[in-house]
Each structure stands twice: as structure tokens, then as C-alpha cells.
Amino acid sequence: MSHHFRLSDDSIRRVAARQGKPHLIDEVTAGTTALVVIDMQMYFIADGMPAAAPVAKEIVPAINHLADSLRQAGGTVIWILTDGSPAASDGWSGYRALHSDAAWQRRQTFLAPDGEGYPLWPGLRTNPDDITVVKTRYSAFAPDSSGLDATLQQRGVDTLLIAGTATGVCCQSTAVDAMQHNYRVAMLPDALAAQSDAEHAGALNQFYLRFGDVLTTQEVIERLR
């Protein structure tokens, strides 16, 4: 099963006091909304892979269900893939410093476009009309990381729904930067995975307090227009 999670009462109280209601997003207009699914690649999901989140497989049905619903309503589904190959990652010295030589080489090998960790998890339902964006940093909005922002602007998207793995790393980084690029953003707790319940909950409560909304996939579907 996916992570056990609920927003803390203190977080809800503080957000409601600041913005006058507990949730930022009351309606989801499909035509201006994108589901952004981050790093649901073999490297982050498959058993035995270095960065696999224990419950990542369990969020696949929720992602598929919301993707189907959003497509049918006229929205956009975007799959974000991390390229960790030497050509894409050798310039990221700050991240390189956090790895041993062996760990860095393993990441570059598995996350190269021809590496066994690079493909999307096979249980995900993609569609020919979906968009794939490749990034090279935690955040898809980081300078020179990807063309996500330009893609969204071209399609008139103003609302992002963030799913994938890991909750407090690439997903939170992208979500926070999206808010700072003036998108409305919701993170989806039942469509996100982390290494532990504590990391998952900490990231979501922090995001909710300062940056955007936290909604389940079912709550998003109920708000679709």
C-alpha cells in the first residue's frame, strides 16, 4: 500500500488562517492543468536498484487512474525522466560531492538513456498524446535542467499536479520551483513515494505550509472541470 499520510492539524490550521480556506485549489480546469509524473523510472522503483523507494510500485494505480481521468477531461500528462549520464551530470559538481566514486559511476551507468534504470516502470499507462521531458537536476525548473517551463507555457498550463518519486527530493524540488514560477501546484500524497513514511509526511506538510496544496488523486478528480 502507499504511504500512510494525513496533513497535520497544525498545518491545516495555519494554512486556513493565512489563506482563508484549507485548500488553495477548489476547482481543476482540465484544459490548463498538467499531471507531472516525476522519475517513475526503473532506477527509482525496481527491486535492487540503488534509489528504489519501497512503496513506489504501490502508487502506480493511482497515477494511472488520474492520468486517464485528466486525459479524458482534456488535460495534459507529462512524464519527467532523469538523465544521469556523464554528458548530462558531469557539470553538477555539488551533487557529485555527495557520492563516492563507485556510487557516482553506478548512477551514471544506470541512469544513462541506454541504462537499465532509465526506462519508465512498465506498469504505467502512457498515451501517444502525452509529453516526455528529460531533466538533469532534481528540479525540472532548475536552470538548464529541462524544457518543462517552456512546454507548459506553450500549452497555456497554469496548474500542476505533482506525482512520482521521491516525494521530498525531485518531486518537492520541482513543485517548489513551479510555485516560484507562478504555477498553482498540488502535490498528490497517494501518487508520491519516498524512502519512509516520515520523509513523505515531512515533505508534504512543509510544501503545504508554504508553497501550494496537497490533494489526493480522488480529491483532484472530484474537482475536475
Side-chain angles (χ1 to χ4, degrees), residues 1-7 40 44-45 51-63 162-169 171 187-205 214-217:
M1 61 184 297
S2 59
H3 291 288
H4 175 72
F5 173 77
R6 64 180 297 274
L7 286 167
M40 288 296 286
F44 303 102
I45 301 176
V55 304
K57 297 185 197 69
E58 308 305 322
I59 65 174
V60 169
I63 292 173
I162 305 295
T165 187
T167 310
V169 189
C171 297
M187 296 188 74
L188 314 176
D190 58 324
L192 289 158
Q195 292 293 324
S196 69
D197 286 350
E199 291 178 48
H200 184 73
L204 289 171
N205 276 294
V214 172
L215 298 169
T216 66
T217 55

Side-chain angles (χ1 to χ4, degrees), residues 87-111:
S89 63
D90 275 346
W92 195 5
S93 59
Y95 191 45
R96 169 65 181 89
L98 303 177
H99 294 74
S100 68
D101 290 345
W104 188 247
Q105 183 177 9
R106 185 168 60 242
R107 181 182 187 274
Q108 289 190 319
T109 300
F110 281 128
L111 274 179

Side-chain angles (χ1 to χ4, degrees), residues 124-137:
L124 293 161
R125 288 198 297 268
T126 61
N127 184 282
D129 292 330
D130 295 347
I131 296 169
T132 298
V133 173
V134 177
K135 69 178 177 66
T136 59
R137 297 292 188 270

Side-chain angles (χ1 to χ4, degrees), residues 14-96:
R14 291 164 62 186
V15 167
R18 186 187 69 243
Q19 66 186 23
K21 56 184 182 179
H23 288 288
L24 171 68
I25 299 175
D26 297 317
E27 291 191 356
V28 177
T29 303
T32 58
T33 297
L35 171 61
V36 180
V37 186
I38 298 173
D39 291 352
M40 288 296 286
Q41 295 162 266
M42 298 291 287
Y43 186 79
F44 303 102
I45 301 176
D47 294 340
M49 282 288 179
V55 304
K57 297 185 197 69
E58 308 305 322
I59 65 174
V60 169
I63 292 173
N64 284 339
H65 183 45
L66 180 55
D68 289 343
S69 298
L70 187 60
R71 290 186 197 102
Q72 290 168 9
T76 301
V77 177
I78 300 177
W79 304 95
I80 306 289
L81 302 177
T82 290
D83 180 354
S85 65
S89 63
D90 275 346
W92 195 5
S93 59
Y95 191 45
R96 169 65 181 89

